[in-house]
Amino acid sequence: MSAPLALLGGAATWTGGWPDWPQAGPGAIPLIEEAIASGRWAISGDWTGRETLDRRFSRAFAAYLGTRHCLTVDHGSSALVAALLALGVGWGDEVIVPGLTWVACASAVLRVNAVPVLVDICPDTLCMSPAAVEAAITPATAAILVVHLYSAMADMDALRAIAARHGLPIIEDCAQAHGAVWTGRRAGALGAIGAFSMQQGKTLTSGEGGALVTADPELASRLEQLRGDGRRYAASMPAQGHPELVAMPGAQGFNFCLSEMQSALLLDGLTRLDDQNRTRARNATLLDDGLAGVGGFEPIRPHPANEVRAYYHYAVRYHVEDFAGCPVEAVCRALEQELGAWVHPPYRPLNDHPLYRPHNYPPLAGTPLAERLDPRRFPLPEAHRQADRTILLHHAMLLAQPGAIDACVAAFAKVRHHSHALAAWARSR
Ligand SMILES: *Cc1c(COP(=O)(O)O)cnc(C)c1O
């Protein structure tokens, strides 16, 4: 404990390394080889006499989530755009978005020429505050985009009640919540449409990728056409060598399709997701307990209805006064050096995020919408307060052996013990 911080030249707490992410299971390579050998690498390719891996995965993922329909897409961002289009969100409509989330949640709204209305968060979960959502509803509101952030679900009971009261659809962004459960129902199955990302960092991944789920057959049909340039899977088997996707009357679509090699990775990943989620949750509880023993830390407090947590990041707040006023970047830097892993603060809130610049988006610049897009219009004091004292660990660290989790606790304790030296270092920079 008295040895100096690794950041200041001392020995690191842990040099044992961390599990890699992404991980492919033993089933991945045979499935990818199957996709390659099939001669059909895209769902828009010709029928080869066998069901696509896309359909196999979609069926498995819908069953896993307990919902009726699943459509894969090429990115989580595409899933959000397709969900907004399927719900008829368009020019000048307002979509309520949490102020603390990945920028794609707001930029997807811009892509359908609608206005992201940023709302503040609950300190317990870091997810959008239902009271703030209700206060932000206007006659122009067309949808609520709920995000389950890092490791906790948003209060779906309160949000669903508000949405029902105002006749608004909920899009559930589950990019960080594959497998989370709210009173017996999986995240994604609680809103009108669930949107998932399968980008490399996510807990179910094909490098890039995404999925849409819904219980509503009409929305499913619209989503399928939207992601396939207006085409859908044929109702009956096509002739060998003819495309299986067929043109249908209806909405303008786009190509948001996933490749068959990506579906192979998702089929493999889904078989391991629950086991990995259980390991992560077990280790997160060890961390919560260990840090409670250290003192000076405050865990996320999920809603009791959030029965199963899915960890995309382990998040914990520190009491700045117990850390000699150290800024969060310094605490993260010190932990990073102790642990040999990337440790970082949350996203900057979207009213101050370097990647969210709606006023520079050419299709809307100079239009009557431009002024309404200015993110500085939306005060987000709680998002800033929490972002300035929250430390995040990537979910792959939660797949480590318990000895590595003990080392995490020791590293947090060491940084707290040396917080005066760390504060002096931070001031000197
Ligand atoms: C990753 C992520 C997205 C975007 O997904 P991409 O696949 O990167 O386009 C959207 N929302 C949230 C909350 C995310 O974490």
Side-chain angles (χ1 to χ4, degrees):
M1 193 66 91
S2 54
L5 290 172
L7 179 68
L8 303 177
T13 307
W14 177 255
T15 52
W18 298 95
D20 291 330
W21 194 264
Q23 294 178 2
I29 300 291
L31 282 165
I32 292 173
E33 283 174 350
E34 184 184 330
I36 291 172
S38 76
R40 184 166 173 195
W41 294 3
I43 65 169
S44 52
D46 294 340
W47 172 249
T48 57
R50 53 176 277 291
E51 187 180 44
T52 57
L53 295 174
D54 165 61
R55 283 192 123 172
R56 277 162 61 185
F57 170 73
S58 298
R59 199 166 50 239
F61 198 47
Y64 173 78
L65 297 175
T67 185
R68 301 247 297 276
H69 308 276
C70 169
L71 287 312
T72 62
V73 288
D74 55 357
H75 301 95
S77 306
S78 309
L80 294 175
V81 171
L84 291 162
L85 291 171
L87 292 168
V89 177
W91 181 268
D93 288 339
E94 293 176 357
V95 178
I96 301 178
V97 175
L100 186 71
T101 183
W102 176 234
V103 285
C105 301
S107 62
V109 175
L110 292 183
R111 283 163 69 177
V112 302
N113 300 318
V115 177
V117 171
L118 309 177
V119 298
D120 214 346
I121 60 164
C122 287
D124 285 351
T125 60
L126 306 182
C127 296
M128 74 202 305
S129 146
V133 169
E134 187 143 47
I137 292 173
T138 73
T141 308
I144 303 170
L145 201 164
V146 176
V147 181
H148 306 307
L149 199 74
Y150 300 138
S151 69
M153 290 179 72
D155 183 346
M156 289 307 288
D157 290 344
L159 290 165
R160 279 156 53 103
I162 291 166
R165 203 151 56 234
H166 295 269
L168 293 169
I170 288 179
I171 299 171
E172 225 188 322
D173 182 336
C174 307
Q176 306 188 1
H178 306 72
V181 176
W182 185 273
T183 46
R185 293 167 74 185
R186 295 241 193 232
L190 296 151
I193 299 177
F196 289 80
S197 166
M198 276 73 157
Q199 181 270 344
Q200 156 158 346
K202 310 297 157 89
T203 57
L204 175 60
T205 178
S206 46
E208 299 280 5
L212 287 151
V213 297
T214 181
D216 180 334
E218 227 169 278
L219 278 177
S221 154
R222 233 174 287 160
L223 290 169
E224 186 177 356
Q225 281 192 266
L226 280 163
R227 71 105 193 247
D229 276 327
R231 296 163 299 174
R232 300 190 48 177
Y233 276 109
S236 57
M237 218 181 287
Q240 190 91 3
H242 285 66
E244 193 184 2
L245 296 194
V246 293
M248 302 283 287
Q252 174 64 54
F254 303 94
N255 184 0
F256 289 153
C257 295
L258 199 66
S259 79
E260 284 287 278
M261 284 73 94
Q262 290 170 304
S263 289
L265 287 168
L266 295 181
L267 265 170
D268 167 64
L270 186 57
T271 63
R272 290 172 295 121
L273 177 63
D274 271 345
D275 270 349
Q276 291 173 338
N277 275 346
R278 273 191 290 272
T279 303
R280 292 183 190 106
R282 202 167 45 236
N283 280 331
T285 303
L286 287 178
L287 258 176
D288 278 343
D289 293 348
L291 295 183
V294 173
F297 295 97
E298 198 180 308
I300 297 296
R301 281 184 291 271
H303 193 287
N306 187 181
E307 290 161 358
V308 176
R309 292 174 71 185
Y311 287 81
Y312 170 64
H313 284 309
Y314 176 82
V316 67
R317 282 70 64 87
Y318 68 101
H319 294 139
V320 180
E321 63 280 12
D322 290 336
F323 277 74
C326 279
V328 68
E329 291 79 11
V331 174
C332 289
R333 274 290 293 281
L335 286 167
E336 206 162 77
Q337 297 298 312
E338 294 301 331
L339 293 169
W342 187 40
V343 179
H344 55 103
Y347 309 112
R348 293 304 303 154
L350 288 175
N351 61 0
D352 179 36
H353 195 294
L355 300 180
Y356 183 53
R357 312 172 184 106
H359 36 291
N360 288 346
Y361 181 56
L364 299 179
T367 74
L369 290 190
E371 211 172 299
R372 293 166 62 199
L373 296 173
D374 187 346
R376 290 165 305 185
R377 282 176 56 217
F378 308 103
L380 303 168
E382 195 61 53
H384 281 273
R385 198 172 300 130
Q386 298 305 325
D388 287 342
R389 62 187 205 101
T390 299
I391 300 161
L392 300 178
L393 306 181
H394 188 256
H395 65 79
M397 295 175 74
L398 298 176
L399 294 175
Q401 298 304 313
I405 303 302
D406 295 342
C408 274
V409 174
F412 277 82
K414 183 176 172 188
V415 171
R416 181 179 171 184
H417 181 80
H418 290 283
S419 53
H420 284 280
L422 181 60
W425 174 85
R427 276 192 306 272
S428 74
R429 296 180 80 234

